[in-house]
Amino acid sequence: MSFRRIFLVKCLLLLFPSVKCSSSSWVYRAVNDTALLSPAAALLPESTDQVTWSRGRQRLVQLRGSSTKHFVNKEQCRCAMLHNRTLQIRRLQAEDSGTYTVMAYLQGKLQAEENITLFVQEPVPQPILISKCGNKNISVKCEAKQKAKDEAFLIELIQPNGKKIQKNATMLEWHGWNPGTFRCVAKNKVSEKMAEKVIKCPGKMDFYLILSIAGGAVFFVIFVICLVYCIRRKKTKRREVYDEERAMHSLPMDSKRGTRELPQTPPKATPKQLRVQQRPLPPQPLEQPLPPRPQPRPRAQPRTPNLPRERP
């Protein structure tokens, strides 16, 4: 109950003591926990002499003066009223959920009444984060299997870019393309659990890797082409310089003047030289043939030896 509401109730009780005041609130507790249902102090003034807690039409416990009276079995109810008029319920079960009413009396007259609604919930199970990489997107599934029937809780999926998707269900699916860290949160009023997973699809990462490799390969090919062109151009320049130096060294140089000697043209022949060249040459004597060289004598053939005559 808010401070403003308590203040208004106090003002009404001071201005109109005979007016009956009522209020309501909500309390959430987990199974096997202990619930303390405390009424608002403004609704239960100290002058009251009787306080009764009930659930529906069933009275549970009554405090009159300093004595306490139970209308149900203590073990079955698992409830007790404290001295400050707070109802205590131990080892909560799902069937303990409901609306509890506290009524304050003064000399048999009802002075105030308050309704407190108790919600007993199971703790949420551990969520499971499942991912699947497709050709063009990423599929993420956040699932938490609920234990009790007809009980839903809030499930939340936090994407890498910080966006949240919430739904009152036990399963949540998301389809996108950006990888990163995903968080799956399952929570209700009494508990909260989370699962976290880093999702990186190889296909998505390979796209950028292939793109970078292709760019590097193109750059390398361009670099090789430029390098080959520069080397060939340098070789061509060196060859031209070598040819020029070779041509310069092939021409005769005058050691004294240091100038090139051009080939001299033959002088023109005079008429006298022409007449001399036109005269016929005197006949040359014929060369007599040399006598033949003497041939060596042939060697005499060896005589055959005389065989001895045979005697008659």
Side-chain angles (χ1 to χ4, degrees), residues 275-283:
R275 286 196 300 269
V276 171
Q277 291 178 0
Q278 291 178 359
R279 288 179 182 178
L281 296 174

Side-chain angles (χ1 to χ4, degrees), residues 43-233:
L43 293 176
L44 298 178
E46 295 293 337
S47 59
T48 56
D49 55 6
Q50 181 180 339
V51 176
T52 304
W53 279 95
S54 61
R55 181 183 177 184
R57 297 182 179 181
Q58 176 64 47
R59 290 188 296 177
L60 300 176
V61 61
Q62 183 183 71
L63 177 64
R64 177 179 292 181
S66 59
S67 61
T68 303
K69 180 181 180 181
H70 286 80
F71 297 94
V72 294
N73 188 1
K74 291 183 180 181
E75 295 298 328
Q76 182 181 357
C77 178
R78 304 182 309 281
C79 57
M81 186 185 297
L82 305 180
H83 293 289
N84 59 354
R85 304 167 186 178
T86 297
L87 180 64
Q88 182 187 46
I89 306 175
R90 300 181 302 275
R91 302 188 304 277
L92 288 172
Q93 302 298 327
E95 56 269 15
D96 293 330
S97 299
T99 301
Y100 294 81
T101 303
V102 56
M103 293 177 289
Y105 296 88
L106 179 60
Q107 296 178 357
K109 294 182 180 180
L110 182 62
Q111 300 294 317
E113 180 180 350
E114 182 179 2
N115 295 322
I116 300 177
T117 303
L118 175 63
F119 296 94
V120 181
Q121 295 181 341
E122 291 278 351
V124 294
Q126 179 65 36
I128 301 173
L129 193 59
I130 304 171
S131 62
K132 183 179 180 182
C133 296
N135 294 329
K136 296 182 179 180
N137 59 2
I138 302 173
S139 177
V140 180
K141 183 178 180 181
C142 179
E143 184 178 6
K145 297 180 180 180
Q146 62 186 104
K147 296 180 180 180
K149 295 181 179 180
D150 302 330
E151 182 180 357
F153 42 81
L154 184 66
I155 192 164
E156 182 179 85
L157 180 64
I158 304 174
Q159 304 175 23
N161 54 10
K163 292 184 179 180
K164 297 181 180 180
I165 304 175
Q166 295 181 349
K167 188 177 180 181
N168 288 323
T170 58
M171 186 181 67
L172 183 62
E173 291 185 0
W174 175 84
H175 301 278
W177 59 271
N178 51 336
T181 303
F182 289 82
R183 293 182 181 90
C184 177
V185 182
K187 58 184 177 180
N188 56 12
K189 296 291 184 178
V190 298
S191 63
E192 178 177 345
K193 293 181 181 180
M194 182 185 69
E196 184 175 329
K197 185 177 182 181
V198 178
I199 300 174
K200 292 183 179 180
C201 290
K204 296 297 178 182
M205 300 306 293
D206 286 346
F207 172 75
Y208 300 102
L209 183 62
I210 291 171
L211 187 63
S212 61
I213 292 174
V218 172
F219 177 77
F220 179 73
V221 170
I222 294 173
F223 173 76
V224 171
I225 292 173
C226 294
L227 184 63
V228 171
Y229 173 76
C230 293
I231 292 174
R232 294 188 65 180
R233 188 175 180 183

Side-chain angles (χ1 to χ4, degrees), residues 264-311:
Q264 296 180 1
T265 58
K268 293 183 179 181
T270 59
K272 188 176 180 179
Q273 292 176 350
L274 292 174
R275 286 196 300 269
V276 171
Q277 291 178 0
Q278 291 178 359
R279 288 179 182 178
L281 296 174
Q284 298 292 332
L286 297 175
E287 293 182 358
Q288 295 179 1
L290 297 176
R293 295 177 65 180
Q295 298 293 331
R297 285 184 178 183
R299 293 181 180 181
Q301 294 182 358
R303 295 180 178 179
T304 56
N306 295 326
L307 296 176
R309 295 181 178 179
E310 295 182 357
R311 292 179 180 181

